[in-house]
Every structure is written in C-alpha cells, then in structure tokens.
Amino acid sequence: MPRPFRFLPPLTGLLAATMLMLAGCQRATEESPAPGGNSPTAAIRQLIDDLHHDDLVAFWKHGLPPTDHAALVARWASGQAAQVPTDAARQGYRQWMGSLTGPGARQALAQRLQQQAHRIDRRYGDQIPVLIAIGGALARRTVVTDLALTPRQEQGLADLLAPVTAWAQRAPWLDGGRAGQTAAVAVDTARSLRLATLADLRALDFADAMAKASRLWAGAKQALAPYGLSLDAVLGSATVTLVSQRDDTAHVRIDYRLKDQPQQVVVKMQALDGRWYPAALGPIARNLAPPDWGSWWAPPGVGLSRSATNRDGSPSPVQ
C-alpha cells in the first residue's frame, strides 16, 4: 500500500521554496538566462516566471549557484543509485500506477474519493477545520526540522502559511462533485507522466525527474482551483520591491493577494560572483532527494528510516 507521507520532506521543501517566490511576470524570451539574477528583484522575478510556467528544471537552474546545482544533481544520482527496490515495491508501484492510468480510472477514482469524503464527513463533520490546522502544523514542523529554522524564521514561516491554512479550513474538501474533478486531474496527470514501472521512475536523472515534477506541479494547481485557490492568480497578483541592499545582502518584499486579501513576505537575497540568489534555496536544495523507493510500499507498521543518501550532512539553517 502506498504511503504518501513519505513524500512529505521533498514536497514541503518545494512548498517552502514556492511560498518564498510569490511573484509573477511574463516570459520574455525562449532562451534560458544565466543562473541567478543581475539584481535581487530580477532573480525573484525569474524564479516565479519558472513556477508560473510550470518549469521546475529551470527553477533549480536559476535559483542556485552553478556549483550548488551541480552538487544537487550529483546527490540525486547517488541517492537513486544507492537504492535497491524489492519485488514487492515493484509490484506495488505497478498496481498503484495502474489504478491511475488503466481503463475506467477516472470513474473508479472519483467513486473512491466520493466514498471517502462521505465517510469523513459522517465521522468527523465539523472537526475538519481542526484536523486541517493540526495537519498544517505538522507540515510546518517538518519544514522547520529539515531546514533547522531559528525561532524567528519559524515564526516567519507560520505567518506565511497562516492565510493558506485559513483558506484550507474553509475549502469544500468533502464536496462530491469537486472530488470527481480532482479524480480527473489526478488521472490525466498520472497518464501524462508515462512512468508505468518503478524502473521507469528510477531511471530518471535530476533534470528528467524535475520535468516530471513540473507536470505534478501543474496538476496540483489545476486540482486546487475547484476548491477556491488559484495559484496562478496568486502569482500574477504579486509585485516585487527592493527593501534594502548592502554589499552582498539584500531583502526583497513581495506583495500579493490570496483570496482577495493582501499578503506580504520578505525574502533575503545573497550575491555570489555578481549574481543574486534567494538565501533559503541552498538549504532547501540540500534537503531535496529522491524518496526511498525501496521502502515506499513497505507494509504498515514498518518503521521509516532516513538513509544517509537523503541528507548531505546536518541540516543547514536558513539565513
């Protein structure tokens, strides 16, 4: 049985990276610019351009200094090579992916989601907002632990995620019609990946994995829209302002709107060799690794181990 929470560390890493880059612009050229930006604000705009156009390959190339990006690619490759999936994992993956890509998958998944929504509504009902608040706190704690955030940084992350949690607590998650839309998006996205076997998945290098992740990101944006959150609208609403700059350090303020409510975040930027990068992306990249496919389909109750391949030394604090 798949255990989705095994994806939590890499997914929350991407969430942290995304929430730090809430701005939007139009892609001016088909050519990929150099890593970083020639100014703090230009660097932010480039990264959000990548997110807005569902291009995580470009996002990591532009967001990291070349040496850091090369190290990330190497860590990903070593993490893939170190894994030895079991026959049970291979079979479990085929069954799971087959349930999303086989004939009648949309109808079958929609029915399962609707049944689950009905059971949850019957058992928990008005407790859903409380459960979402608890889940949000757990996700935030994962980011704090993985990135070794200071108390001040943790509070900043809490402030950043608060409006998202408030939306999630009011979203119509248990609506049966929306569950059908979610099922359609999930099936279409899974089919677009063209990863029928675990061997197909493990054969992906970092660039190929991020190209597939770009499809997942696009699918996630599409799936959230029926529940009242348009990430493209959030991205497109933002403006970027330079707050301060001194030597090789700068701070950029990003103003945006979430559900028509004004929001704000300040991102610390650092310069290296004349190019500007978000200070938070380096620690996030050092915690980005392929999931442990060998134990992904382990039977319930089997402990989850964090192998050395999932970390590059001790977590580094976000500056």
Side-chain angles (χ1 to χ4, degrees):
M1 179 67 66
R3 301 172 71 179
F5 285 109
R6 295 183 191 272
F7 266 132
L8 193 56
L11 285 181
T12 49
L14 179 58
L15 172 63
T18 302
M19 294 299 292
L20 287 171
M21 309 298 159
L22 292 173
C25 62
Q26 295 299 315
R27 199 176 284 267
T29 175
E30 293 300 324
E31 296 183 4
S32 178
N38 57 15
S39 72
T41 53
I44 291 291
R45 290 192 181 99
Q46 178 60 62
L47 290 173
I48 297 313
D49 189 34
D50 296 334
L51 287 176
H52 190 66
H53 290 84
D54 309 326
D55 192 348
L56 298 183
V57 178
F59 177 87
W60 290 110
K61 284 185 177 179
H62 297 152
L64 297 172
T67 54
D68 288 357
H69 184 267
L72 172 58
V73 172
R75 284 194 303 274
W76 188 276
S78 63
Q80 289 277 61
Q83 297 183 25
V84 183
T86 63
D87 289 340
R90 296 186 183 94
Q91 181 180 358
Y93 180 88
R94 284 196 301 269
Q95 293 175 345
W96 177 65
M97 185 58 75
S99 70
L100 291 174
T101 59
R106 286 191 188 90
Q107 181 178 355
L109 180 59
Q111 185 176 6
R112 289 200 300 272
L113 292 178
Q114 289 165 352
Q115 290 173 346
Q116 290 172 2
H118 178 70
R119 286 196 298 269
I120 293 172
D121 189 24
R122 186 177 57 199
R123 293 184 61 183
Y124 300 106
D126 56 6
Q127 299 180 47
I128 296 300
V130 175
L131 296 176
I132 288 175
I134 294 173
L138 291 174
R140 186 176 71 243
R141 173 51 52 185
T142 299
V143 175
V144 170
T145 301
D146 283 355
L147 300 183
L149 300 185
T150 66
R152 181 177 180 180
Q153 292 163 341
E154 180 178 0
Q155 183 58 52
L157 179 63
D159 294 342
L160 186 64
L161 294 180
V164 179
T165 302
W167 156 76
Q169 289 175 309
R170 295 189 296 268
W173 300 114
L174 303 181
D175 180 82
R178 290 179 174 86
Q181 296 178 58
T182 301
V185 172
V187 169
D188 291 345
T189 301
R191 288 174 174 171
S192 75
L193 296 177
R194 299 185 182 277
L195 296 172
T197 69
L198 187 55
D200 295 334
L201 183 62
R202 295 188 64 249
L204 301 176
D205 61 16
F206 180 75
D208 290 337
M210 289 302 104
K212 300 297 185 182
S214 297
R215 293 180 179 271
L216 294 177
W217 168 249
K221 291 199 295 184
Q222 188 177 354
L224 288 173
Y227 296 95
L229 179 62
S230 172
L231 290 178
D232 281 330
V234 172
L235 297 173
S237 71
T239 58
V240 183
T241 305
L242 181 65
V243 176
S244 65
Q245 181 175 341
R246 181 177 180 181
D247 299 327
D248 291 337
T249 301
H251 290 84
V252 173
R253 189 184 73 242
I254 305 170
D255 295 281
Y256 62 99
R257 300 188 71 84
L258 179 66
K259 299 291 292 181
D260 293 327
Q261 296 298 315
Q263 308 293 339
Q264 185 182 101
V265 61
V266 175
V267 180
K268 183 177 181 180
M269 307 293 292
Q270 292 181 324
L272 180 64
D273 297 330
R275 306 292 292 181
W276 289 90
Y277 305 90
L281 277 190
I284 292 172
R286 287 193 288 274
N287 283 272
L288 190 67
D292 184 359
W293 301 119
S295 61
W296 178 264
W297 282 274
V302 174
L304 175 62
S305 62
R306 286 191 175 184
S307 66
T309 60
N310 286 345
R311 292 289 180 268
D312 181 29
S314 300
S316 300
V318 177
Q319 299 299 318

